[in-house]
């Protein structure tokens, strides 16, 4: 399968640039969380000062983000890690890592009652060909 493009490449050794793939406002709007796909971290930006206030280590290829309505959890898709992470926003700690069977994770949205997170996956010509046979 061709893994080029769309956040699937691992960074070159020594490269810690962000290469943001998603920005997600906090529930209060005071912060904006950015998924830094290349450096595999999430940055929190103060929305009023427009400055980085912390960097949260994430899984390889963190890609899209969603925040629960209650503002306590951040859900992230991890493209190169083939997983989904759930973070505690206050501490920045990863509470859970959920491995997936699908290879190319993409978007995430949390249900209005915070009970579910829905994850989308990118298709590939190879997987579509297999499903037709």
């Amino acid at each position: 399968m061709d893994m080029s493009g769309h956040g699937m490449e691992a960074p070159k050794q020594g490269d810690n640039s962000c290469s943001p793939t998603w920005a997600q406002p906090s529930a209060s709007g005071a912060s904006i969380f950015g998924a830094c796909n290349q450096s595999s971290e999430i940055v929190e930006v103060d929305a009023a000062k427009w400055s980085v206030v912390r960097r949260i280590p994430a899984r390889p290829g963190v890609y899209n983000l969603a925040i629960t309505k209650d503002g306590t959890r951040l859900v992230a898709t991890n493209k190169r890690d083939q997983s989904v992470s759930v973070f505690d926003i206050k501490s920045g700690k990863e509470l859970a890592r959920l491995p997936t069977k699908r290879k190319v994770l993409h978007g995430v949205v949390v249900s209005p009652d915070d009970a579910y997170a829905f994850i989308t996956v990118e298709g590939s010509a190879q997987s579509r060909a297999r499903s037709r046979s």
Side-chain angles (χ1 to χ4, degrees), residues 7 16-22 35-39 62:
N16 63 353
S17 55
C18 178
S19 188
T21 51
W22 193 258
C36 293
N37 177 270
Q38 193 159 334
S39 61
V62 61

Side-chain angles (χ1 to χ4, degrees), residues 28-131:
S28 69
S31 295
I32 300 164
F33 293 91
C36 293
N37 177 270
Q38 193 159 334
S39 61
S40 298
E41 64 185 349
I42 299 166
V43 294
E44 181 180 3
V45 176
D46 181 298
K49 297 178 184 173
W50 204 241
S51 61
V52 174
V53 293
R54 71 176 161 164
R55 296 175 178 274
I56 301 169
R59 297 289 174 164
V62 61
Y63 201 77
N64 279 54
L65 306 170
I67 291 184
T68 56
K69 297 284 184 208
D70 67 9
T72 63
R73 303 286 186 260
L74 177 67
V75 182
T77 58
N78 306 304
K79 273 192 156 183
R80 290 191 310 273
D81 194 54
Q82 197 175 334
S83 67
V84 175
S85 294
V86 179
F87 292 90
D88 175 75
I89 289 179
K90 189 173 185 177
S91 69
K93 298 210 185 288
E94 183 183 49
L95 301 174
R97 178 185 165 270
L98 309 163
T100 64
K101 293 180 181 181
R102 300 293 181 160
K103 291 188 192 262
V104 188
L105 300 175
H106 192 260
V108 56
V109 65
V110 177
S111 63
D113 62 359
D114 290 343
Y116 299 96
F118 298 92
I119 311 300
T120 61
V121 297
E122 291 182 18
S124 70
Q126 185 180 31
S127 65
R128 284 191 295 276
R130 275 196 304 251
S131 66

